[in-house]
Amino acid sequence: MSCLLTCFSSCCASLTCGLCASVASGISNRSARLAYCGLFGTSLILSWILREVAAPLLEKIPWIKSSGTHPKEWYQIQAVLRVSMGNFLFFAVLALIMIGVKDQNDRRDSWHHGGWIAKMVIWLLLVVLMFFLPDSVISVYGILSKFGAGLFLLVQVIILLDFTHTWNDAWVEKDEQKWYIALLSVSVGCYLAAFTFSGILFMWFNPSGHDCGLNVFFIVMTMILAFAFAVIALHPAVNGSLLPASVISIYCAYVCYTGLSSEPHDYACNGLHNKSKAVSTSTLVLGMLTTILSVLYSAVRAGSSTTFLSPPSSPKASAGKKPLLEAEELEEGKEKKKEAEGQPVSYSYTFFHLIFALASMYSAMLLSGWTDTSESSSLIDVGWTSVWVRICTEWITGLLYTWTLLAPLFFPDREFF
């Protein structure tokens, strides 16, 4: 019987290894970006699962509980931070290794696109090893993660600005009436949604009978920003577009909502406090979805944008000035195939991996409520730290977008988006 079990386990192991090998070998240069996104998504799922089930196990590990008795929330945060730290180290090391890669002749270019079996093993080992570190090291990482998460939010805003300007330019370049009508329709729709949503926030977070001046201030500032975006964008001196302004406005309204919904469940001005668990879960899902979309967009955009994440030597960086391939060069297909390996890389591998490293820190803060143990373990991303992080993110988004509109007036010789 034991022999049969041994054979069965050996077969399962060989089949698993074979499956991983086939998946890894099937990852091409183009799909490598999506493979990194898949690995990042796996870490998020693992963090979420361990947050729910690993607390009783961590309580039995002596080097984790060495600093004394801790509540359940502390062990949940430890589980999330340890997975995040392993993920962060994996992408941070890749970012360091890829510094200076400029063309496909560099050996590290093949490291970026290949070696997936080794990468999966290394990633898994790093995550496992993090559970052997003392809690003092993880505490330091938790502090650093707050700064890294803030930096990721800044990058996320830049990605959003890049997306809105690219969307607007793509429709304007078509130079057809139907696309201009579509631009106007989407812009007006986004503005109506932004102001309608802001009105709903007044009902949810300014209940009658309570002095909720802080919440009112946050919501009014959101509406003022939305109005200011339209005024500045449509000013003749700026010559901007209403579409980016409307998209940024509705994003600011969403960020304001996530900030207000993160207020403590016992705060009287949080009109959703009776549904704190459902709201915190929905906020987490939306936050995770935004994070994944930001990382996925940066991964795909890195391979197709003319400027985003592209190093100065990249052909992508100068694609808007002259064609990448002349007509004569296109006819010399055979010669181009021989020289293909020497072509410059299309985007910065270092910055690409750095986005994933920062996203690992941000996802840890999202799942751990910014390492706040004062709230119930059933509530995620709830507390005043989360509130102010969200609100500051909204204001920084407004400042950055305003800067993209006004910067060409101050620096006419430079290009912005």
Side-chain angles (χ1 to χ4, degrees), residues 16 20 35 62 75 79 101-102 119 169 184-185 200 204 219 235 245 251 291 306 313 335 338 354 370 378 386 392:
T16 303
C20 292
Y75 289 102
V101 177
K102 296 181 179 180
K119 287 176 183 176
D169 293 343
L184 181 61
S185 301
I200 294 174
W204 286 351
I219 300 171
H235 194 278
Y251 174 76
T291 303
T306 57
S313 61
E335 293 181 8
K338 295 180 181 179
L354 183 61
W370 298 82
S378 62
S386 298
C392 289

Side-chain angles (χ1 to χ4, degrees), residues 83-199:
V83 175
S84 170
M85 187 173 180
N87 208 43
F88 169 80
L89 290 176
F90 175 79
F91 286 109
V93 170
L94 283 176
L96 291 174
I97 292 175
M98 297 301 164
I99 292 177
V101 177
K102 296 181 179 180
D103 58 67
Q104 297 177 14
N105 276 332
D106 195 312
R107 181 182 299 178
R108 291 172 294 176
D109 179 77
S110 62
W111 297 353
H112 174 73
H113 294 105
W116 282 98
I117 295 178
K119 287 176 183 176
M120 292 176 184
V121 172
I122 292 172
W123 173 81
L124 184 60
L125 287 176
L126 283 174
V127 172
V128 172
L129 286 175
M130 294 306 104
F131 285 87
F132 290 90
L133 295 178
D135 59 335
S136 57
V137 176
I138 305 301
S139 298
V140 173
Y141 173 74
I143 296 173
L144 296 177
S145 292
K146 294 182 179 180
F147 296 96
L151 187 56
F152 174 77
L153 287 174
L154 180 60
V155 173
Q156 185 172 272
V157 169
I158 296 174
I159 291 172
L160 176 65
L161 292 174
D162 175 76
F163 168 75
T164 56
H165 284 281
T166 303
W167 181 7
N168 181 77
D169 293 343
W171 283 13
V172 170
E173 286 176 0
K174 296 181 184 297
D175 197 20
E176 296 179 13
Q177 185 178 5
K178 64 179 182 179
W179 292 108
Y180 289 119
I181 295 175
L183 274 173
L184 181 61
S185 301
V186 173
S187 301
V188 172
C190 286
Y191 259 111
L192 288 176
F195 282 105
T196 301
F197 191 43
S198 297

Side-chain angles (χ1 to χ4, degrees), residues 359-400:
S360 300
M361 289 182 160
Y362 174 69
S363 61
M365 294 297 99
L366 201 61
L367 281 167
S368 65
W370 298 82
T371 65
D372 184 6
T373 59
S374 61
E375 294 295 331
S376 170
S377 62
S378 62
L379 302 178
I380 300 175
D381 197 27
V382 172
W384 285 111
T385 303
S386 298
V387 173
W388 283 106
V389 167
R390 296 285 190 276
I391 297 300
C392 289
T393 299
E394 177 193 352
W395 294 344
I396 292 173
T397 301
L399 290 175
L400 283 176

Side-chain angles (χ1 to χ4, degrees), residues 290-301:
T290 304
T291 303
I292 293 173
L293 288 177
S294 298
V295 174
L296 183 61
Y297 176 76
S298 66
V300 176
R301 186 88 170 113

